[in-house]
Amino acid sequence: MKSMPDSWRRETKPHKFCPGCGHGLVLKALGMAMDRLKIADRTVFGVDIGCSLLAWDFFNADTIQTHHGRTVPVIIGAKRARPNLVGIAYMGDGGGYAIGSQHLINATMRNDRILIIIVNNTIYAMTGGQMAPTTLKGQKTETSSRGRDPKYEGFPLRGPEMVASFAPEGAYVARGSVSHVQRLARYLERGLENQLQDRGISVVEALSTCPTNWRTNAEDTWKFLEKEMTDYYPVGELVSPFKRDTQKEAADLETCH
Amino acid sequence: MSITFTKNKWEGPKGVFIVSPDLCKGCGLCIEKCPSQVIDWTKETGIYGTPIVGAKRIDRCTACSICVLVCPDAAIDVEKNKM
């Protein structure tokens, strides 16, 4: 197994993310998927504002950094102008579910042929760890010092479930986690395949970590991700246009870490 | 242009465990994920001036490569011995 995917740009490593940040793992999974499909030379990679913008020099691919939450329409524009390109919109939960949620909903409604990756770490990380739409019930953040109270602040948003509820035919919606990098890479690969086969929109959420703003050590970081987050945000495919081979899937899950 | 990173190596019975101090930021995620408790902190510091990891109990290493997979910085590599 290669530690660094070929599509990563080696000159810019070490990358700019904090120690223990899940972005590195999501981008590793994306790099693995891009390597398998050999599409790095015709990919347009769009990054949002927030921690995700630190991936602006991450890949050997054309990259654009856009306004807050506007990655989706920018990538759709590129894809409509040059349909042979592979469009990837990469953003955090703030960009995807708060500021840019209208774009997510309208892009899904129009079934645009792009891959949207939303990295969910339950907070706004770059601005210092404020409460996000995905902050869990009772979770303490900079702006919810007594823990998120659903009575005043509402319940955490399950993004892929929201998208899946009105996903048109041909759409692919899934949720992966950075504690299972190979499975996440498989979901991203299917999302890209869905786009290459011109079927429809692909939305993949990746549960991620933020030790800096969660104020956790390595042990508690994994525990929070694998227990509390995965309990509320179940991992798996929600909508898939691919024919299901349940036996193969079970075998895959056995071998995935 | 090909970039190379410095490598610290530990040779074990099943393979070679490699850590690059140019890449390791000392997050410790691999220490928790190693099923054989091979990895531990060393006294060396990495790119961010934080302690980096090493294979303290290399004799237990089964070269499963879970550490390679969970390293967000791609600082770890495992070369399996050919049977």
Side-chain angles (χ1 to χ4, degrees):
Chain A
M1 187 195 304
K2 274 186 184 168
S3 60
M4 209 179 271
D6 291 335
S7 48
W8 278 26
R9 202 167 147 202
R10 285 177 73 91
E11 300 94 272
T12 61
K13 305 293 172 294
H15 55 62
K16 298 163 188 67
F17 297 108
C18 298
C21 178
H23 272 291
L25 292 169
V26 181
L27 292 163
K28 186 189 268 187
L30 181 60
M32 284 155 76
M34 280 161 75
D35 281 1
R36 279 182 219 156
L37 297 169
K38 298 187 175 60
I39 51 163
D41 55 339
R42 58 187 180 114
T43 295
V44 173
F45 184 65
V47 291
D48 198 42
I49 290 181
C51 285
S52 64
L53 74 80
L54 297 173
W56 59 271
D57 58 355
F58 208 93
F59 287 108
N60 283 321
D62 292 332
T63 307
I64 185 163
Q65 197 258 311
T66 69
H67 279 192
H68 224 153
R70 274 50 170 163
T71 318
V72 174
V74 169
I75 294 297
I76 289 171
K79 178 79 182 173
R80 288 193 172 193
R82 298 266 304 274
N84 59 333
L85 292 178
V86 178
I88 302 173
Y90 185 78
M91 52 198 171
D93 47 340
Y97 298 145
I99 306 131
S101 58
Q102 77 272 35
H103 300 306
L104 179 69
I105 290 168
N106 287 303
T108 311
M109 241 160 53
R110 289 192 304 263
N111 214 9
D112 280 305
R113 272 52 165 172
I114 61 163
L115 168 64
I116 302 174
I117 304 169
I118 299 163
V119 182
N120 176 0
N121 56 7
T122 73
I123 43 166
Y124 290 110
M126 183 163 263
T127 48
Q130 288 82 6
M131 187 171 64
T134 47
T135 299
L136 294 175
K137 207 169 84 176
Q139 187 184 345
K140 285 181 182 170
T141 65
E142 288 287 306
T143 49
S144 61
S145 50
R146 291 176 186 166
R148 182 176 185 158
D149 184 356
K151 194 176 167 192
Y152 299 107
E153 285 124 11
F155 283 93
L157 176 77
R158 289 188 178 112
E161 280 84 346
M162 173 182 80
V163 172
S165 67
F166 60 91
E169 204 183 323
Y172 178 81
V173 186
R175 182 191 279 120
S177 163
V178 295
S179 65
H180 301 278
V181 178
Q182 282 184 334
R183 205 193 300 186
L184 178 61
R186 185 68 53 87
Y187 291 160
L188 293 171
E189 193 184 344
R190 282 188 190 161
L192 287 166
E193 270 176 14
N194 197 34
Q195 182 186 156
L196 292 171
Q197 292 167 8
D198 204 27
R199 281 204 186 116
I201 195 163
S202 311
V203 180
V204 178
E205 182 185 279
L207 300 180
S208 176
T209 57
C210 183
T212 305
N213 286 304
W214 292 352
R215 281 116 171 127
T216 50
N217 58 16
E219 188 186 352
D220 294 337
T221 303
W222 284 125
K223 215 192 288 175
F224 188 77
L225 173 71
E226 290 172 353
K227 187 82 190 81
E228 289 170 51
M229 276 176 79
T230 316
D231 275 359
Y232 191 82
Y233 300 114
V235 173
E237 288 178 325
L238 286 105
V239 179
S240 173
F242 298 96
K243 276 185 186 164
R244 296 192 72 163
D245 185 343
T246 44
Q247 269 187 344
K248 190 167 172 288
E249 269 175 31
D252 277 353
L253 295 185
E254 286 283 308
T255 53
C256 280
H257 297 302
Chain B
M1 189 174 64
S2 173
I3 304 286
T4 50
F5 302 105
T6 53
K7 288 174 176 177
N8 294 352
K9 291 187 180 183
W10 286 262
E11 282 183 32
K14 297 277 175 70
V16 187
F17 179 86
I18 303 162
V19 174
S20 171
D22 294 350
L23 294 171
C24 182
K25 293 175 184 166
C27 66
L29 294 182
C30 51
I31 297 178
E32 299 299 322
K33 278 281 175 178
C34 179
S36 315
Q37 287 87 46
V38 171
I39 311 169
D40 211 337
W41 298 109
T42 62
K43 288 187 175 167
E44 200 179 335
T45 52
I47 186 81
Y48 276 17
T50 50
I52 62 168
V53 296
K56 265 219 172 127
R57 293 170 281 273
I58 188 67
D59 50 312
R60 291 193 203 171
C61 181
T62 57
C64 66
S65 299
I66 289 177
C67 50
V68 181
L69 206 59
V70 299
C71 179
D73 294 276
I76 304 177
D77 210 347
V78 172
E79 285 170 6
K80 283 184 190 176
N81 288 344
K82 290 207 172 82
M83 299 301 277

